[in-house]
Every structure is written in structure tokens, then in C-alpha cells.
Amino acid sequence: MPKRSIEIDDEVFAFLQSESEPLVDTPNDVLRRLLLKDEGAGPERRPGDLMPLLDAGLLLPGDKLTHHQPRRGLTHAAVVTADGWIEIEDGRAFSKPSPALKAQTGTEINGYGKYVHERTGQPLQALREKARGGAA
């Protein structure tokens, strides 16, 4: 496929960076994912960071994750996908918990520490430690 060049301003570039997987996605990958997501364009996505938790049976596809912000009176919900990604309420999907939670809260935040698995009431961090063979 031929390559084309486009010029973008700093604000658009910053948005592309915020939507990218660092050291993995190119700006083209992000645009393809955001603009062509319903057309089956591009290869299948790689497994997300929650895949080991799914493989260990600690999470199931469709499980709900929540994060409460009591001072703001907000609760953010997300769903675990079959390929280990996190899908937030607006339909965007993230391969890692922290960028997903940042998209919901607008601030840098530890998704493993703050997302709670609704079925067990445990933070993702505790489930990750269990999957690694540690006590949680």
C-alpha cells in the first residue's frame, strides 16, 4: 500500500499520542483503529494485558470493572474483553488498565490499583498478584 504524508498540528499529534500504545503504535495505527474500526481494517489486535488473568480464570470475558471517585460523585465502568482488553463506556478499548482509566477520569491513574473487579470486589492488582503466584 502506498504511503502518504499529512501535516497535523500539535494538538492533533498530542491526541494521537494519548490514544497510542507507547513503543508499539504509529500515528497511522491509531488513525486506522479510530477511523476504520468497523470496517475490519488491519490485522487482529494483539492480546491485552489482562489476558494472563483470563487464562488463569481470575477474570471472564464480560466481567465488569469499576472505579469510584467519591469526591466527584462519579463511578466509571469498563468491561473485560475476550482478548484481554478493557472497553470503556464510550466504546473505546485499551490494551492496558491505566490508559483506559485515564480516558475515563482525565488524569494519570494506576488502573491496576484503582479498577475493582465487580464480581470479586478485588482490585486488578490483587488478581494480577494471584495470577503471578503471589498471595493476594
Side-chain angles (χ1 to χ4, degrees):
M1 186 178 306
K3 301 286 182 182
R4 308 271 189 251
S5 295
I6 61 171
E7 288 187 33
I8 57 174
D9 62 36
D10 289 340
E11 185 178 12
V12 171
F13 185 73
F15 174 78
L16 290 174
Q17 284 183 309
S18 74
E19 295 293 318
S20 73
E21 187 71 32
L23 303 175
V24 176
D25 286 335
T26 66
N28 190 74
D29 294 333
V30 176
L31 289 169
R32 178 176 287 280
R33 183 171 56 247
L34 294 173
L35 298 174
L36 303 176
K37 63 182 173 186
D38 295 332
E39 296 181 22
E44 282 191 37
R45 64 186 181 187
R46 66 196 175 286
D49 273 18
L50 299 184
M51 202 66 214
L53 303 180
L54 288 161
D55 290 342
L58 298 168
L59 291 177
L60 300 172
D63 276 357
K64 190 173 178 182
L65 307 174
T66 56
H67 170 61
H68 300 288
Q69 289 184 293
R71 283 184 272 163
R72 290 187 175 176
L74 298 173
T75 298
H76 303 285
V79 175
V80 177
T81 67
D83 58 356
W85 285 53
I86 300 101
E87 187 172 307
I88 63 174
E89 294 159 311
D90 66 8
R92 289 184 289 165
F94 298 82
S95 66
K96 298 177 183 288
S98 295
L101 198 49
K102 179 182 178 182
Q104 291 180 301
T105 64
T107 60
E108 293 289 337
I109 192 163
N110 179 349
Y112 276 104
K114 297 296 183 179
Y115 268 132
V116 174
H117 181 228
E118 197 169 79
R119 188 166 43 86
T120 64
Q122 294 185 312
L124 282 180
Q125 181 63 39
L127 298 177
R128 181 165 67 168
E129 289 170 11
K130 280 184 184 179
R132 291 177 173 167

